[in-house]
Amino acid sequence: MSFRVDDFLFPIEAAITDRTATLTPRFDLAHALYRPVALPYENQAPWTTPYDREVAAWSRMTSTIGAGATLGTLTGGLLGGAIGCVLGGIAGATVAAAAIVGLFGASLPAAAIGCLGGIAAVGFLGTLAGQLLVTAPVAIAAAVQYFTTINQPMPTPAK
């Protein structure tokens, strides 16, 4: 067993006596192992120059951020629209039923009009929440991975 602090691994020693296990972390320089976090298949990458590595890292970062933005917008918008529809439908069927029937007539149920109003009023908040809760952390992680990749020593070339 081991635990990681930045790019270093430290062992955890286990001592078992009867039905008791004692875990002792060895958190000192004498036991530290330098193991940098790397991209998958980085040791097999065809990079021959730091420029090639930087281009590949930048491309990976932009595609990761794009995927995070797509997923954040999609899930946030759908969830915000669904919550807005439910809340608007409840408000339309109860509180504003008379006003909706007066404006639009009795041909459309008041809850359906309330649902559409709720989607318009709350849906964008879901999209904003998706951007803050999904896209922002993905962008931060992608930037960290980018800078880690371009600032570490070049890996040994693939054979």
Side-chain angles (χ1 to χ4, degrees), residues 68-126:
T70 300
L71 291 174
T73 302
L74 179 67
T75 56
L78 290 175
L79 288 173
I83 291 169
C85 180
V86 169
L87 294 177
I90 291 170
T94 57
V95 178
I100 290 173
V101 170
L103 288 172
F104 297 102
S107 62
L108 286 173
I113 299 296
C115 173
L116 294 175
I119 290 172
V122 180
F124 78 93
L125 292 174

Side-chain angles (χ1 to χ4, degrees), residues 4 10-11 16 29 31 36 42 47 51 58 70 73 80 84-85 92 96 121 123 126 131 136 138 154:
R4 177 178 294 276
F10 295 92
I16 300 173
L29 287 178
H31 293 94
E42 187 173 279
W47 303 326
Y51 177 78
W58 181 265
T70 300
T73 302
C85 180
Q131 292 297 310
V138 167
M154 287 287 288

Side-chain angles (χ1 to χ4, degrees), residues 30-56:
H31 293 94
L33 294 174
Y34 181 68
R35 298 275 192 255
V37 178
L39 294 173
Y41 305 109
E42 187 173 279
N43 59 342
Q44 300 171 8
W47 303 326
T48 55
T49 66
Y51 177 78
D52 292 340
R53 178 179 66 178
E54 195 279 333
V55 168

